Amino acid sequence: MSILDIWLGILEGFRVTAGITIYGLLFAIPFGLVFGVAQYLATGFVRFVVTSVIEFWRSSAVIILLFVFYYALPVIGVTLSAMTVGAMVLGLNIGGYASQAVRAGLQALDRGQKEAGQALGLSRPTILLRIELPQALVAMSPTFINHIIQLVKATSLVSLITLTDMTFRAKEISQIAYEPVPIYLSLLMAYFVACYPIALFGRWVERRVNPVREARNGI
Amino acid sequence: MHDTAHDLAVQITALQKWYGAFHVLKDISLSVSRGARIVICGPSGSGKSTLIRCLNGLENYQQGTVILGGTRLGDNARDTSLARRQTGMVFQNFNLFPHLTVLSNCTLALRRVGGMARGEAESLALHHLERVRIPEQAYKYPAQLSGGQQQRVAIARALCMNPRLMLFDEPTSALDPEMIKEVLEVMTGLAHDGMTMICVTHEMGFAREVADEVVFMDQGSIVEQAAPATFFSTPNHPRARSFLNTLLH
Ligand SMILES: Nc1ncnc2c1ncn2[C@@H]1O[C@H](COP(=O)(O)OP(=O)(O)O)[C@@H](O)[C@H]1O
Ligand SMILES: [Mg+2]
């Protein structure tokens, strides 16, 4: 089997890998934002509930969650497609991490930012949306890029719930061709090729964000 | 159009505040007439910031009353927003919004609280930036400005909301000496325009020139309250005397 055949074979799984990543982000981004903000604002029992939900998704083993949601839920009559289970479990897991970055970003802001907004008479939601979140999200953007890269790599687990992603394809090909070394090296490179543009994008974002930040530190 | 019986901008009566067991404001009473300029001074930790932050609801208090522009403020959202609509505050560290241009810093509240259209808000903001003498910086970000310029933007930002009372919390303490003057000049201009002002500051030249009254605080109490000429030449209280001595040296 030529390297080209191996590459074309793995490429057939790219659509699933990309699909799970994008579909997963649709879970991760709202979850990270809403729960990160909620954890920042809430107190008492509400905060406890919010924290518990975050910890469930962040601290459970992803591979076990995939099996539970894919194989165990149908037993109680809930059947989700493999694609949905994969995107949801991976997305909410990464979203759990992202929520902590959102919360940390908000907490790291100078207290004076909120107070200046209050002194001007701005409402709490306006202060959050116009003053706190824009600054926190920009400060945390390198972390969010890391999370997206982690998500891409984590998609390789969905091969365990029957989805033909790049990893699944590599396993298939290696069963036909018995050439595990070139096949898995190619797979390794395939993930690198998928992730590197995201890293480059992250650096571009950081450069765009930085002039203001550097000037701020310069005073 | 105000009631002459309420010719007081602020009336604080028997205000008490504790942080846990720590008694930070002890039975504070203070009246400020409309158009008056009050300077509050005193050692660090004496409760000056806490006191003026009680006037716009940045701090709550346990006992006493605050009457602002004739309305007694309770500890509820409606009164707090009423207080914030009437007061403008300038902080020691400027607290400009770093992600917004100077102009947007000034227009944000006009648009979100005042519901003003963008064009109208911007021309009003430019008017106030001219008043603090930096209209040419309108499209820069705060980080591109000197400390003195940033503090003048903060003053303009507060003025945009057309406050009846301006609160200053050590507005020049974070500034290099050469920038203090430009900020004090703006504040002096405001005073001459008739703005009611309560300034926490240790700028004694400013106090002498502008203040109607100097309030000296120590350990959570108002220890002395006098016209600046009297306060600086013949301070009554020994603690005021020793405080003035430390300022001179
Ligand atoms: N949030 C807080 N919790 C507990 N103590 C506080 C808090 N804020 C201020 N204090 C204390 O209250 C006292 C008065 O503080 P402050 O009003 O900032 O003084 P000043 O402005 O005169 O320097 C200080 O001893 C300070 O440590
Ligand atoms: Mg202070």
Side-chain angles (χ1 to χ4, degrees), chain B residues 118-135:
Chain B
R118 188 198 196 117
E120 199 185 341
E122 289 186 346
S123 61
L124 188 58
L126 280 170
H127 164 74
H128 287 293
L129 287 170
E130 268 160 35
R131 211 167 154 191
V132 301
R133 298 200 285 272
I134 36 172

Side-chain angles (χ1 to χ4, degrees), chain A residues 8-82:
Chain A
L8 289 174
I10 290 175
L11 195 63
E12 279 171 34
F14 180 75
R15 262 190 51 209
V16 170
T17 297
I20 292 275
T21 302
I22 290 162
Y23 193 8
L25 285 175
L26 296 183
F27 285 92
I29 293 169
F31 183 81
L33 263 180
V34 170
F35 278 77
V37 167
Q39 204 183 25
Y40 171 65
L41 293 178
T43 53
F45 182 70
V46 177
R47 190 187 162 97
F48 171 76
V49 172
V50 167
T51 305
S52 307
V53 174
I54 291 171
E55 285 310 327
F56 172 77
W57 286 108
R58 193 168 68 122
S59 306
S60 304
V62 169
I63 195 162
I64 300 170
L65 288 179
L66 284 173
F67 284 138
V68 167
F69 279 86
Y70 189 66
Y71 293 110
L73 281 189
V75 176
I76 58 162
V78 180
T79 311
L80 300 173
S81 74

